[in-house]
Amino acid sequence: MPSPPKFFHSRHPPPATRLTRSTALIVFSTLSFLFSLYVFLSSTDCGHQCLSDLRSVRVLLDKPGNVNITATSDGDVDVNGTKRHKVMGFVGIQTGFRSVGRRRSLRKTWMPSYHQGLQRLEEATGLAFRFVIGRTNDRSKMAQLGREVAKYDDFLLLDFEEEYSKLPYKTLAFFKAAYALYDSDFYVKADDDIYLRPDRLSLLLAEERSHSQTYLGCMKKGPVFTDPKLKWYEPLSYLLGLEYFLHAYGPLYALSADVVASLVALRNNSFRMFSNEDVTIGAWMLAMNVNFENNRRLCERKCTPTFIAVLDIPKCSGLCNPETRILELHRQEMCSNGSTFPSDDKQLSLA
């Protein structure tokens, strides 16, 4: 069994004779957030259990990308007859059959490897976390996945062929499945090769926003890849010109509920699919009346007092050698034990 994960905790500042103005603001913000989270959790009919009852779920698709018929979970219930579980954010960690080592590293670090720990993390942050994976015709791989599901019970299983070239279709299927199962303020797409601070992600998603349709991520632009020999080659490059439009890095971004609701309403093949998933989502967001929210804390290259996720970009799309890098980062004090809120001085310097 993997060793118990190291939980994040806030460091207490040294005693002071009186609170500074910035400290008072931080304390007030913290109490307000905790109270809001408590009200949010207690306002649902099933209380905290809404976050934990729905664990590994197998979603069946009638057609590629459509999620409107049946889902089977521990109780083999039809998704159309199942009440959507209320959470603040649903985080789908996209993974594949070759990523057993990555999932092992994540479960040893920021994602608990046992149900009680995962439940506590969800109750503390308001975020539900699940690995998202499709299927394969390889029976041995499916059998291995079945054993992992039985052991950890932390998957969202899509009835969709798991293949790198079909990532845009898998991503759309994920958003549709997540929307069918969870009543969430935000739906987060994450990759299994990042180092994440769930507590800080929770605070970011909980921020008040004036725009109900939000596309939140670490935004970028760059040249369109026209060489078929390159990994991110785009066959439809002639439609895009020389440079990509503004869009979020693929390893981590979030869509608000209203945006995902619009995606769910799409008919199959009604929107164009590009070769790369992040470009595809970005193109759809460009066509919709959404607010682009750029936050660089979602793509830091190293752990900082305020980071949310660490990626080795642009060298790698996520972390290079993620199986070892995730463990190395977690051993760093700044990564795993840094406080949820920055210190007074850092808070002032960021203002």
Side-chain angles (χ1 to χ4, degrees), residues 98-130:
R98 296 181 179 180
S99 297
V100 176
R102 295 184 182 186
R103 294 192 292 274
R104 184 185 304 116
S105 293
L106 291 180
R107 293 191 184 106
K108 287 181 178 180
T109 55
W110 59 264
M111 184 170 177
S113 61
Y114 53 100
H115 176 59
Q116 291 80 4
L118 188 61
Q119 180 179 347
R120 286 200 297 269
L121 177 62
E122 293 173 359
E123 290 177 347
T125 61
L127 307 180
F129 294 84
R130 298 294 181 271

Side-chain angles (χ1 to χ4, degrees), residues 221-226 232 234 240-245 247 279:
K221 285 185 176 181
V224 176
F225 293 92
T226 59
W232 291 290
E234 179 52 69
L240 299 170
L242 299 178
E243 185 180 64
Y244 284 118
F245 40 80
H247 63 284
V279 173

Side-chain angles (χ1 to χ4, degrees), residues 67-189:
V67 184
N68 56 16
I69 48 165
T70 305
T72 59
S73 64
D74 295 336
D76 291 328
V77 283
D78 190 305
V79 71
N80 291 323
T82 304
K83 183 176 180 179
R84 296 165 71 213
H85 290 243
K86 180 64 178 176
V87 292
M88 183 174 68
F90 179 78
V91 184
I93 307 169
Q94 311 298 307
T95 190
F97 288 94
R98 296 181 179 180
S99 297
V100 176
R102 295 184 182 186
R103 294 192 292 274
R104 184 185 304 116
S105 293
L106 291 180
R107 293 191 184 106
K108 287 181 178 180
T109 55
W110 59 264
M111 184 170 177
S113 61
Y114 53 100
H115 176 59
Q116 291 80 4
L118 188 61
Q119 180 179 347
R120 286 200 297 269
L121 177 62
E122 293 173 359
E123 290 177 347
T125 61
L127 307 180
F129 294 84
R130 298 294 181 271
F131 287 110
V132 181
I133 193 170
R135 55 171 167 75
T136 177
N137 293 326
D138 189 320
R139 292 186 178 181
S140 63
K141 290 182 179 179
M142 289 300 293
Q144 182 181 10
L145 175 62
R147 291 190 292 270
E148 189 176 349
V149 171
K151 182 176 182 180
Y152 296 107
D153 197 15
D154 54 5
F155 281 88
L156 175 61
L157 307 171
L158 300 177
D159 183 30
F160 188 87
E161 186 178 2
E162 186 70 39
E163 189 175 321
Y164 185 81
S165 62
K166 296 182 178 180
L167 283 182
Y169 296 92
K170 178 185 176 181
T171 302
L172 179 58
F174 153 66
F175 280 121
K176 289 189 173 186
Y179 187 83
L181 296 169
Y182 288 88
D183 178 8
S184 179
D185 295 338
F186 276 93
Y187 298 86
V188 182
K189 182 265 180 182

Side-chain angles (χ1 to χ4, degrees), residues 246-260:
L246 190 69
H247 63 284
Y249 276 104
L252 181 64
Y253 59 85
L255 304 180
S256 63
D258 284 358
V259 176
V260 176

